[in-house]
C-alpha cells in the first residue's frame, strides 16, 4: 500500500495517457481465473479514474468523455 501511494503521488504531476481494456461490459466468464482477471481490471480502471483529471472511453471510434473536459 505504501508503494502504491508513493507511485500515485509521483504521477499526480505528470501527463499520462493510458490505454486499457474495458472487458466488464460482456458476459461473465465461466472460469474463476477469468472472472478474477475481469474484476481486477475493472477495479484498477476505477481507481485510475478516481485520480485522473479526465477519463475518455473510446467506443466504436467515438470518444465519450466520462470525466473532465
Amino acid at each position: 500500500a505504501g508503494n502504491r501511494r508513493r507511485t500515485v503521488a509521483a504521477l499526480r504531476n505528470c501527463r499520462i495517457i493510458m490505454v486499457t481494456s474495458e472487458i466488464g461490459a460482456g458476459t461473465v466468464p465461466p472460469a474463476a481465473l477469468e472472472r478474477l482477471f475481469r474484476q481486477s481490471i475493472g477495479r484498477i480502471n476505477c481507481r485510475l479514474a478516481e485520480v485522473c483529471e479526465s477519463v475518455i472511453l473510446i467506443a466504436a471510434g467515438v470518444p465519450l468523455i466520462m470525466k473532465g473536459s
Side-chain angles (χ1 to χ4, degrees):
N3 286 337
R4 185 177 0 175
R5 281 191 216 110
R6 284 191 296 273
T7 301
V8 168
L11 295 177
R12 286 188 191 268
N13 297 322
C14 298
R15 182 175 186 154
I16 299 172
I17 298 173
M18 299 186 74
V19 178
T20 181
S21 296
E22 175 53 61
I23 59 174
T27 59
V28 177
L33 185 58
E34 293 171 351
R35 287 192 304 273
L36 177 63
F37 176 75
R38 180 180 186 255
Q39 291 168 352
S40 297
I41 292 293
R43 288 185 182 121
I44 290 167
N45 286 343
C46 286
R47 288 184 178 161
L48 287 170
E50 286 175 0
V51 299
C52 291
E53 289 180 18
S54 62
V55 176
I56 303 170
L57 172 67
I58 308 294
V62 178
L64 305 169
I65 297 174
M66 307 297 286
K67 180 180 176 181
S69 55

